[in-house]
Amino acid sequence: MNNKQIYIAPSILSADLLYLGKEIKSVEKAADIIHVDVMDGHFVPNLTFGPDLVKQVRYFTKQKIDVHLMLSQPDKFIAKFLEAGTDYLSFHLEAHVDHEKWLKKIRENDCKAGLVLNPDTPAKKIFSYLPLLDYVLVMTVYPGYGGQNYIEACTKKISELHKFQSSHDFLIEVDGGINFRTGKEAKAAGANILVAGSFIFKNEREYANTIKGLRDV
Ligand code: DX5
Ligand code: ZN
């Protein structure tokens, strides 16, 4: 992936989980990467998937897997998600861990390393970590649930991060409330990867058409 193109990451949080294989098959060709939201019921008020699910998805598809850890203690699980076959692995800047140590560990395992910023965390807090990062994930909703509205104030943060791209080599991923309008806004501000859950999976349009539409915003 490079920062000259836009990439689309369907979030399986909004997929029909009883038919997850079928849902993944329906997006894998059109999409660039599959986004998996991991929640611990503590860092965020919801519970979702673990490393075993990622391992099964790994066997099932050749598509790249992007794991977004919403965990208070990501350090306890990073090794397990690496073993499971994650290609892109991010955890939150707001988690109380040794960020440098774990970002290095992720890269040592030939996985792309990312840090996530919650809506209220300013862009400048990421600056010292940029040399260790392959991407920054900007939350444009408060993490925990799919189907929320994009927080407009976050667009400014994407622009601020985009300025850092002139001096550092990293991608900007945007997550939460993405549709054609907000996707266009995020892209104009400098986003490289658009995560979309409900807009893809809870829409009457064919998934592949939604993904194509997002790519063309
Ligand atoms: C929210 C998750 C998102 C979620 C996005 O905490 O990080 O990845 O799936 O869902 P939508 O696109 O519906 O806002
Ligand atoms: Zn996510």
Side-chain angles (χ1 to χ4, degrees):
M1 292 195 188
N2 62 60
N3 65 11
K4 304 280 175 279
Q5 282 185 53
I6 196 91
Y7 300 97
I8 310 300
S11 168
I12 60 167
L13 185 64
S14 293
D16 183 341
L17 297 179
L18 289 180
Y19 296 93
L20 185 57
K22 197 165 157 255
E23 296 279 73
I24 289 174
K25 281 283 159 226
S26 307
V27 295
E28 67 178 359
K29 282 207 181 73
D32 299 291
I33 188 161
I34 306 285
H35 187 84
V36 181
D37 287 306
V38 177
M39 305 185 187
D40 66 353
H42 185 265
F43 187 79
V44 288
N46 201 359
L47 285 169
T48 56
F49 317 118
D52 291 342
L53 187 278
V54 171
K55 198 181 276 181
Q56 293 206 21
V57 173
R58 173 73 294 143
Y59 284 126
F60 184 74
T61 178
K62 291 204 165 54
Q63 189 53 271
K64 288 192 177 352
I65 304 174
D66 169 30
V67 174
H68 170 194
L69 299 178
M70 284 159 269
L71 306 177
S72 297
Q73 297 183 301
D75 48 326
K76 295 225 167 16
F77 293 96
I78 284 171
K80 291 194 168 68
F81 282 98
L82 290 169
E83 274 163 35
T86 303
D87 300 289
Y88 283 67
L89 185 54
S90 63
F91 58 98
H92 277 252
L93 182 63
E94 299 85 7
H96 300 292
V97 290
D98 182 343
H99 299 84
E100 278 194 35
K101 172 182 164 183
W102 291 103
L103 290 168
K104 284 181 186 156
K105 167 103 176 157
I106 293 171
R107 279 184 157 180
E108 277 163 19
N109 283 269
D110 292 326
C111 181
K112 302 291 183 194
L115 274 183
V116 193
L117 295 175
N118 270 339
D120 297 334
T121 305
K124 62 174 191 290
K125 289 226 169 177
I126 207 85
F127 194 76
S128 63
Y129 298 107
L130 288 177
L132 300 170
L133 291 174
D134 298 295
Y135 64 110
V136 176
L137 174 46
V138 181
M139 288 310 301
T140 44
V141 297
Y142 290 98
Y145 299 96
Q148 305 181 74
N149 289 333
Y150 182 93
I151 301 170
E152 294 292 333
C154 296
T155 302
K156 190 162 162 265
K157 196 193 297 184
I158 301 170
S159 309
E160 287 166 8
L161 287 165
H162 179 55
K163 288 189 192 130
F164 298 152
Q165 284 183 315
S166 59
S167 54
H168 292 84
D169 186 18
F170 69 99
L171 298 177
I172 301 172
E173 180 173 25
V174 172
D175 186 7
I178 293 296
N179 54 38
F180 292 148
R181 183 185 66 77
T182 57
K184 186 173 183 169
E185 187 176 320
K187 182 187 171 189
N192 310 113
I193 306 170
L194 300 177
V195 176
S198 52
F199 191 58
I200 293 174
F201 290 106
K202 298 203 188 309
N203 199 319
E204 283 172 14
R205 216 178 289 111
E206 289 272 321
Y207 299 163
N209 288 340
T210 308
I211 293 169
K212 186 178 180 307
L214 281 171
R215 204 187 294 288
D216 295 340
V217 289

